[in-house]
């Protein structure tokens, strides 16, 4: 039985660009799928298809048990959406923005007012509730946008880069909100450029590149695909980086990685602590002084580099300026709510 979010064979092209090239997704009810991929991989396009904002050229999509293509208006009544950029009305206050969204979803004026008050408190915006949104900082606008996505407590949520622009404290607060939502039964599809965010929140992760899902599994399963452990060495003198790289490659089970600015050399290995002792002895024998050395498990960043050849980046839409994207996303929020 398909999950709360289901897609099969999604294809979408924009001119010569094949943004989606046969994407399959299945997100069980009450879980979080982290949709990760490099710049231009197709993450945002997938979200826009699943939230009825654009139609795929081919494929099937079902959200909350409802066919996205056949009954888009019904789908919209069961979802919440927070896009990459804060989609709020600058000339309304924070409170008015939330009340407006509630009334677009046909809540009574009384219920919309009460819900707005709850969310303003939850996102620490009560003190600024009656100021116009154009006076808000970027982080405050982002929090207001996220609050607007939660006005109707939808059973299925889509969050596209939700913590972009938030400081670490506010990012942690949002993580707590997401965990509360999922504990209450909400299903979430999350795209993010912060790999630790996916590691922390997602039950399952799908890695997308060039419009295709190229890997799927839990964080631990994906890390296991990149090999075992890594030895990391920080050399004391920059002039010893190349020599340290040569030494580590002699112990490695794959390509080494050199970070000149931090003087760090990393290589995948097998052998655990015993091998680490051998590496230390060899570095000492070659006269290489080190500031730090350690053995660690692979990270999701290692997974990205292994699968795609480059690190994760925020997905951009180069055809539009940020202000244009914000205006479009404000229109799209109103579309999904009406």
């Amino acid at each position: 039985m398909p999950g709360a979010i289901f897609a099969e064979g999604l294809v979408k092209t924009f001119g010569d660009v094949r943004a989606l090239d046969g994407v399959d997704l299945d997100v069980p009810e009450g879980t979080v799928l982290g949709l990760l991929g490099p710049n231009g991989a197709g993450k945002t396009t997938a979200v826009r298809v699943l939230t009825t904002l654009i139609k795929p050229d081919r494929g099937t999509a079902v959200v909350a048990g409802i066919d996205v293509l056949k009954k888009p208006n019904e789908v919209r009544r069961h979802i919440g959406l927070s896009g990459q950029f804060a989609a709020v009305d600058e000339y309304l206050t924070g409170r008015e923005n939330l009340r407006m969204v509630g009334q677009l979803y046909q809540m009574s004026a009384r219920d919309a007012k009460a819900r707005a008050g709850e969310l303003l408190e939850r996102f620490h915006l009560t003190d600024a509730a009656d100021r116009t949104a154009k006076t808000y900082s970027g982080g405050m606008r982002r929090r207001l946008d996220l609050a607007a996505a939660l006005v109707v407590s939808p059973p299925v949520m889509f969050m596209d880069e939700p913590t972009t622009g938030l400081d670490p404290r506010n990012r942690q607060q949002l993580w707590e909100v997401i965990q509360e939502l999922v504990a209450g039964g909400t299903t979430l599809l999350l795209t993010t450029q912060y790999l630790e965010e996916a590691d922390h929140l997602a039950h399952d992760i799908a890695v997308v590149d060039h419009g295709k899902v190229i890997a799927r599994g839990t964080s631990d399963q994906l890390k296991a695909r990149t090999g075992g452990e890594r030895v990391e060495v920080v050399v004391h003198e920059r002039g010893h980086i190349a020599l340290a790289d040569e030494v580590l490659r002699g112990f490695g089970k794959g390509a080494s990685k050199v970070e000149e600015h931090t003087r760090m050399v990393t290589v995948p290995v097998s052998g655990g602590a015993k091998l680490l002792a051998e590496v230390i002895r060899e570095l000492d024998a070659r006269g290489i002084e080190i500031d730090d050395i350690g053995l660690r498990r692979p990270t999701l960043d290692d997974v990205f580099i292994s699968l795609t050849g480059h690190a994760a980046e925020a997905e951009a839409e180069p055809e539009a300026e940020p202000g244009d994207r914000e205006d479009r996303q404000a229109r799209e929020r109103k579309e999904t709510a009406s």
Side-chain angles (χ1 to χ4, degrees), residues 105-222:
Y105 275 103
Q106 301 181 345
M107 295 173 68
S108 70
R110 181 176 179 178
D111 288 345
K113 180 180 179 181
R115 183 62 174 158
E118 292 171 8
L119 289 167
L120 288 165
E121 183 174 354
R122 190 177 197 180
F123 283 89
H124 306 280
L125 290 169
T126 303
D127 290 345
D130 298 310
R131 285 166 38 197
T132 56
K134 66 181 179 181
T135 68
Y136 285 16
S137 67
M140 292 169 67
R141 287 165 60 91
R142 193 71 182 130
R143 282 182 279 151
L144 180 62
D145 178 75
L146 293 164
L150 299 174
V151 166
V152 294
S153 301
V156 179
M157 276 290 302
F158 294 87
M159 292 187 173
D160 193 10
E161 311 281 6
T163 58
T164 299
L166 295 185
D167 60 34
R169 182 174 63 89
N170 285 316
R171 185 176 300 137
Q172 181 65 46
Q173 289 172 348
L174 178 62
W175 289 3
E176 292 169 3
V177 170
I178 289 173
Q179 289 170 325
E180 290 172 13
L181 288 170
V182 176
T186 299
T187 304
L188 173 64
L189 189 149
L190 169 77
T191 78
T192 179
Q193 62 174 304
Y194 300 111
L195 300 181
E196 74 274 17
E197 189 162 273
D199 222 348
H200 189 78
L201 296 173
H203 297 90
D204 211 9
I205 295 170
V207 181
V208 182
D209 199 19
H210 296 101
K212 297 180 179 180
V213 176
I214 60 173
R216 176 79 186 257
T218 66
S219 177
D220 284 343
Q221 288 169 341
L222 291 176

Side-chain angles (χ1 to χ4, degrees), residues 25-98:
L25 298 171
D26 193 357
V27 189
E29 185 175 340
T31 67
V32 180
L33 174 68
L35 195 61
L36 309 183
N39 187 22
K43 306 184 299 294
T44 295
T45 302
V47 168
R48 298 187 71 205
V49 167
L50 292 166
T51 54
T52 78
L53 296 171
I54 58 174
K55 292 183 178 180
D57 301 327
R58 291 201 304 274
T60 301
V62 177
V63 174
I66 306 162
D67 191 296
V68 170
L69 294 177
K70 294 179 181 178
K71 298 182 179 179
N73 290 335
E74 184 68 18
V75 169
R76 291 171 186 174
R77 285 193 281 270
H78 291 78
I79 65 173
L81 169 64
S82 176
Q84 288 184 21
F85 302 92
V88 298
D89 190 319
E90 290 189 343
Y91 296 98
L92 297 179
T93 66
R95 192 184 309 278
E96 288 168 342
N97 265 283
L98 299 183

Side-chain angles (χ1 to χ4, degrees), residues 200-257:
H200 189 78
L201 296 173
H203 297 90
D204 211 9
I205 295 170
V207 181
V208 182
D209 199 19
H210 296 101
K212 297 180 179 180
V213 176
I214 60 173
R216 176 79 186 257
T218 66
S219 177
D220 284 343
Q221 288 169 341
L222 291 176
K223 290 173 185 177
R225 289 182 55 165
T226 67
E229 300 157 314
R230 266 79 176 141
V231 168
E232 289 183 342
V233 172
V234 178
V235 300
H236 183 68
E237 296 181 19
R238 196 172 299 278
H240 283 161
I241 292 175
L243 187 56
D245 183 40
E246 179 185 328
V247 170
L248 262 65
R249 281 189 279 115
F251 291 95
K253 299 296 181 182
S256 62
K257 176 184 175 184

